[in-house]
Amino acid sequence: MTVPPENPEPPEEPTPPPAAPPAEDPTAPAPSADDEEDREGPRRRARREREQRRAVKDRAMAIEEARREAKRRATSGPVREATPIPRRAVRGLKVLVWSALLSVAAVGVGLLLYFTPIMSVRDIVVVGLEAIPQEEVLGAAAVVPGTPLLQVDTDAVAERVATIRRVASARVQREYPSSLRITVVERVPVVVKDYPDGPHLFDRDGVDFATAPPPPNLPYLETATPGPNDPATEAALQVMLALPPEVAGQVGRIAAPSVASITLTLVDGRVVVWGTTDRTDEKALKLAALLTQPGRTYDVSSPDLPTVK
């Protein structure tokens, strides 16, 4: 017979399975903002508050800008949209600006050269002189050394030089950086006339430009009132200038009591009856041929019938 143990342990009860979470009731109320704020941390709450304050500030600024724009439109009318400037206009504006800058620079350089001795007269060169002393030309020019070249009136200097009796013409040129060039054309004697104070030299224009001994073989002029405005003097000079050099060198005297009775006397005593100045060039050619023939008087007053006596 089996004896049961004392105080027997009761048998272990089985563990029940875990209860499933209760299903959400759709009719249950949603959690409030306060519940959500309770679940937020302090940092997230502070960040959210800053974003809200920033959004409120931006909205206020947008409203204020809209008010200003509305007020500006009400006072000034509709705002026109800016028209874009064409590319060609921009290029033209640039060209205009550069042109203006270059003009200003050129004016500045010109003023600098005009008022300062950077490019001043240091040398005066005179060319074309034969009988006129250079000192006489420089004295008539009256250009002060050191004068800026741009301040020198070249026309005025040329006019002063041309007042010299022997000067037929004068030209003055600037030669940068520091020279002035004076080109002189002297008068050339064509005829000479005796006066009580000595022989006077006359050029091709009938200008009495010097009282001096005449060059060799220069013909003497016989007119009543020689001068550039005397018709007889002008006719006699016209004949002398038309003669070939080999014939003109043989003339010792030319008489022109009038424009219609011109006579040449050669250095060997032969006489040439010229007559008027009509067909002067033709008469000069006929005379050159006639002088090869022996005779004492050569008449070319009628070039169609020249004669030798």
Side-chain angles (χ1 to χ4, degrees):
M1 177 177 182
T2 304
V3 182
E6 295 182 358
N7 299 329
E9 294 181 3
E12 294 181 2
E13 296 181 358
T15 304
E24 293 184 0
D25 188 359
T27 61
S32 64
D34 295 336
D35 296 338
E36 291 182 358
E37 291 180 359
D38 292 340
R39 288 197 297 268
E40 289 179 342
R43 293 184 178 178
R44 293 181 64 186
R45 186 183 301 109
R47 187 184 304 113
R48 178 173 53 79
E49 290 176 354
R50 285 197 300 270
E51 292 175 355
Q52 290 177 353
R53 286 194 297 270
R54 191 180 297 113
V56 172
K57 184 178 179 181
D58 292 343
R59 178 178 174 80
M61 292 178 63
I63 294 173
E64 181 65 23
E65 183 64 27
R67 289 176 179 173
R68 292 179 181 174
E69 183 66 23
K71 184 177 180 180
R72 185 163 51 250
R73 290 181 179 178
T75 55
S76 61
V79 179
R80 297 181 179 179
E81 295 184 357
T83 304
I85 302 176
R87 186 173 300 177
R88 183 178 300 175
V90 174
R91 189 180 299 112
L93 183 61
K94 290 182 180 179
V95 172
L96 181 62
V97 171
W98 278 108
S99 300
L101 292 176
L102 291 176
S103 299
V104 172
V107 171
V109 172
L111 293 175
L112 181 67
L113 297 178
Y114 187 85
F115 290 105
T116 62
I118 296 177
M119 300 176 68
S120 59
V121 179
R122 295 182 177 87
D123 298 314
I124 301 178
V125 180
V126 183
V127 296
L129 298 182
E130 293 184 4
I132 305 175
Q134 180 171 326
E135 292 74 14
E136 185 177 0
V137 175
L138 294 177
V143 177
V144 179
T147 304
L149 278 176
L150 293 179
Q151 293 187 20
V152 176
D153 188 344
T154 56
D155 292 337
V157 175
E159 290 177 0
R160 290 196 294 268
V161 173
T163 58
I164 300 175
R165 289 177 63 188
R166 280 186 174 269
V167 174
S169 64
R171 184 177 61 175
V172 180
Q173 297 170 293
R174 301 183 185 92
E175 292 186 346
Y176 298 99
S178 59
S179 296
L180 200 66
R181 184 182 184 88
I182 302 176
T183 303
V184 174
V185 177
E186 294 185 357
R187 297 185 185 276
V188 178
V190 177
V191 293
V192 60
K193 182 174 177 60
D194 280 329
Y195 281 91
D197 60 344
H200 287 215
L201 305 180
F202 291 81
D203 69 353
R204 60 183 302 148
D205 297 321
V207 176
D208 180 0
F209 66 89
T211 302
N217 301 325
L218 192 67
Y220 280 80
L221 175 66
E222 293 182 2
T223 57
T225 56
N229 299 320
D230 178 43
T233 302
E234 182 180 358
L237 293 173
Q238 182 180 349
V239 172
M240 287 300 305
L241 296 173
L243 294 175
E246 63 274 11
V247 176
Q250 300 181 50
V251 178
R253 188 175 300 272
I254 179 170
S258 68
V259 296
S261 57
I262 301 173
T263 303
L264 308 177
T265 302
L266 305 184
V267 292
D268 58 5
R270 291 181 294 176
V271 177
V272 177
V273 179
W274 193 274
T276 66
T277 56
D278 295 338
R279 303 167 66 179
T280 295
D281 293 336
E282 188 177 353
K283 291 178 180 180
L285 293 176
K286 294 291 180 66
L287 178 61
L290 286 179
L291 290 179
T292 60
Q293 302 178 19
R296 298 298 303 171
T297 303
Y298 300 83
D299 191 342
V300 292
S301 58
S302 176
D304 293 330
L305 296 173
T307 60
V308 179
K309 297 180 181 179

